[in-house]
Every structure is written in C-alpha cells, then in structure tokens.
Amino acid sequence: MEQIQALRVIRKGEVQHPSVCYGKEDEIMKRVYNFSAGPAVLPEEVLREIADEMLDYRGTGMSVMEMSHRSKPFDEIIQTAEKDFRELLKVPDNYKVLFLQGGAHLQFSAVPMNLMKNRVADYIVTGQWAKRAYEEAKKYGTANKIASSEDRTYSYIPDCSDLPVSENADYVYICENNTIYGTRFQTLPDTKGKDLVADVSSCFLSEPADVSKYAVMYGGVQKNIGPAGMVIAVVREDLITDDVLPGTPTIMKYKTQADAGSLYNTPNCFCIYTCGKVFQWLKRMGGLEVMKQKNEAKAAILYRYLDSSTLFKGTVRKEDRSLMNVPFVTGEKELDAKFVKEADAAGLVGLKGHRSVGGMRASIYNAMPKEGVEALVTFMKKFEEENK
C-alpha cells in the first residue's frame, strides 16, 4: 500500500502549524493523531501551557507536581478548576463537585456504599463497564438488571421508556456512553421518579447536560478531560450523609470528601491542574454547545464514510451511535490487523478495538481535531481501494 503519512512534523519556530517543539532550536517533534479510547488525546494548546510551566509554575520556582496540596498556589488551582467546571456544565448550587482518586472502577463500589439505603438498586446494562458496576453492586445488596443489550453484543440501547423499575430501588444506574461498543443514550431513561446515577466517563463535557436530572454523575477524566488517575463526581447534596453502608471506608464516603473539599488526603494534584487547563480551553473554544457542534461534525465525517464503504462496517445501530467512540470492522480479523498496523505506521494510532471485541475503534474526543478525522477517512479510502 502506498503510505499515507498522517504524522505532523513540526519544527520549533515554524508557523505552519500551531504546535511547537520543546528542546533545541533545530529539534523536530512528531505528533500523531491519537484515536486511543483512554488515556487519550489532550489539546495541544493545553500541553504547551503545561510544558511552559513545568519547571516553574507562575513564579513559585517549582512544578505543580512538587507543591503542597495545602499551599496557596494549589488552593487557587483547585478552586479555579471547580469554578470553571461548574460554569461549563451549569452545575446547580445544591450539587457538590468532588475530585476523587481510584478511577471509575472505585465508583462501582462507592455508589452502592453511599446510596443503597434499602439495599436495592436497578441497573441498565449496555456494555462491559455497566456490567462490571452491576456485578459489583450485587456485593452490597440486591442489584436488578432491568434492561440489557447483551443479546446483540451491546450494539444498541434498549427501550428505556417504560422500565420495570423496582418500587424500593434506591437508584437506577446507567453508563451513558459505552466506550467499547460505541453506543450512547440519546435520551435518559424514565426512572419513574427514582434517582439516576450515570457513569459519563467517555462523554464528559462533550456536550451540554442537565445536571439536575442526575442524582450522581461521575466520570474518569482520562478519556475526554485530562490524564489518567482521577474521577470527577457531581453529587446532589441531600445524598451526602453519614448514612452509608456499614464498613464503608472513610475515604470512600462522599461526605468525607465533600467536607474536606476533595482534600481529605493528598489528591491527584497534577491531574486537577491539567483538567483545570482543559476547562479553560473549553471555555475559550466557546463552551459545551460549541463542542457539541464540533463533535457532531467530526462524527458525521466518519459515519458518512462507514455508511458508504463496501469494506468497513460500523457495528452500532444507527440511532444509538456515539459521538465519541466509533467501532468498525472489515469482517476479517487478518484484514483488521493489517489495517491497524498500517494506520499506526502512518501516524494514525490507537485504532485497535478493545481486546474483548476486536476490530477497530476511533475515539474522537473533544481534543481530536477535525483534520484528524479527515486524515483517518482518507487513509481508510486508500486502504479500501487496495484491499477490495
């Protein structure tokens, strides 16, 4: 195959591309288009800001990675990050914003520990992460699987307009965007008055959301907001109490973290700092309404090609397609592997599908530029021509 080179070769001082090189004047930096599902692409503008402040954060003489989480400079960082996050998502005053460690997996346990007062919860299982959360919840009480798309390899979102919600359920749980399978809830389920808990890891801040419709929304930041190692949880205040399940670790109580302003123990300082930079970038870009428009335009480019291709096929029911994660296949494992290998060599990396499903997956988060999606489609067209 004649190689299509998607690597962006950038020399320090050149103005043809907004990226810059760090190091010697003649040093060359190569930036790939990173389609990984997470840890994932970050805005280059943010990475440059971080690099500029790496050795000396605003005259402190140290990196953010070195400073005390109790210091005045870091207090300003975390307070500003929360303020900007609240403004972006229009978080109501009766919700707490928590910066937590442990990843989304720890929330699979923290949610039932904090919320399962009646020891009953309902789960809508639309992918691997919702399934793991459901299995974890069964350790703490009765977890009911009230809807699932497992019968067709999670390739669709089930009808959630009239669910058999349990009368004594403490909450209804969803994973709103399924990173592995590329589906998303276009509308939130009818929980019949029960609290809604949502894992929003791979769609966090990709479009506006009405926070008041959720009791808890949380997400690992490594997919669409920042580096790995942290979860942001938005929790309605009336749910933050000492009335938790017996044996709940102190650090996993939402009240512990809320009362301490996410500083009960040393937080992931550098991650909070980076996320704060991304929040400011999102505001400069025009906010979440603008990001939604950009994300819809990027996804449309890729989905239009998949719908017209005779080689590549999308794996998701059209009405349930994600804007963030786009899985596709050729139908032949050997050809899939060839595509991934050649794409990687061309600077289109992270396209291998999750190990549980195979195939390919393009994650096109906020920081993926439109040019990256266009480069991918150009490469796919060339590959299709040569591998019919």
Side-chain angles (χ1 to χ4, degrees), residues 235-255:
V235 186
R236 205 175 63 223
E237 285 185 344
D238 63 287
L239 299 172
I240 301 174
T241 71
D242 282 320
D243 182 18
V244 298
L245 295 189
T248 299
T250 302
I251 198 170
M252 290 176 67
K253 295 179 181 179
Y254 291 145
K255 191 173 191 305

Side-chain angles (χ1 to χ4, degrees), residues 72-147:
K72 185 176 180 180
F74 185 75
D75 180 68
E76 182 180 348
I77 288 171
I78 192 171
Q79 295 298 333
T80 301
E82 179 176 342
K83 175 178 176 292
D84 289 337
F85 177 85
R86 284 182 172 276
E87 289 178 1
L88 280 167
L89 206 53
K90 297 181 172 59
V91 179
D93 291 341
N94 64 323
Y95 284 75
K96 292 288 187 182
V97 175
L98 308 177
F99 300 108
L100 307 173
Q101 298 180 67
H105 274 71
L106 196 63
Q107 294 305 305
F108 297 168
S109 297
V111 166
M113 283 179 170
N114 282 272
L115 304 186
M116 202 183 266
K117 318 294 187 186
N118 297 321
R119 300 289 184 117
V120 178
D122 289 350
Y123 280 70
I124 301 171
V125 179
T126 53
Q128 182 164 315
W129 307 130
K131 184 177 181 179
R132 285 195 185 181
Y134 162 70
E135 295 293 340
E136 195 71 15
K138 289 196 288 187
K139 298 177 181 179
Y140 306 102
T142 300
N144 302 304
K145 187 191 299 185
I146 59 171

Side-chain angles (χ1 to χ4, degrees), residues 20-94:
V20 297
C21 242
Y22 309 110
K24 297 179 180 178
E25 191 68 27
D26 61 349
E27 184 179 349
I28 289 176
M29 174 183 72
K30 294 181 179 179
R31 289 283 293 171
V32 299
Y33 286 118
N34 178 11
F35 294 93
S36 174
V41 60
L42 285 166
E44 290 182 11
E45 184 178 325
V46 168
L47 294 175
R48 292 196 298 272
E49 289 178 11
I50 293 170
D52 289 342
E53 295 175 345
M54 182 59 70
L55 295 178
D56 179 7
Y57 175 74
R58 300 186 180 181
T60 62
M62 69 181 87
S63 169
V64 172
M65 286 190 285
E66 302 172 290
M67 66 176 54
S68 169
H69 61 296
R70 307 290 182 186
S71 66
K72 185 176 180 180
F74 185 75
D75 180 68
E76 182 180 348
I77 288 171
I78 192 171
Q79 295 298 333
T80 301
E82 179 176 342
K83 175 178 176 292
D84 289 337
F85 177 85
R86 284 182 172 276
E87 289 178 1
L88 280 167
L89 206 53
K90 297 181 172 59
V91 179
D93 291 341
N94 64 323

Side-chain angles (χ1 to χ4, degrees), residues 45 112 175 179:
E45 184 178 325
C175 180
T179 321

Side-chain angles (χ1 to χ4, degrees), residues 176-177 199-207 223-224 324 365:
E176 193 162 332
N177 186 89
D199 175 353
V200 297
S201 294
S202 53
C203 59
F204 225 170
L205 300 188
S206 63
E207 59 184 330
K223 298 179 183 298
N224 206 33
M324 298 284 98
Y365 297 128

Side-chain angles (χ1 to χ4, degrees), residues 84-85 87-90 204-209 224 278-295 366:
D84 289 337
F85 177 85
E87 289 178 1
L88 280 167
L89 206 53
K90 297 181 172 59
F204 225 170
L205 300 188
S206 63
E207 59 184 330
N224 206 33
V278 173
F279 301 154
Q280 291 168 5
W281 174 78
L282 285 167
K283 292 174 74 173
R284 290 195 297 272
M285 294 292 287
L288 301 190
E289 288 284 359
V290 171
M291 291 312 303
K292 180 183 180 182
Q293 295 169 12
K294 290 179 178 291
N295 289 328
N366 286 345

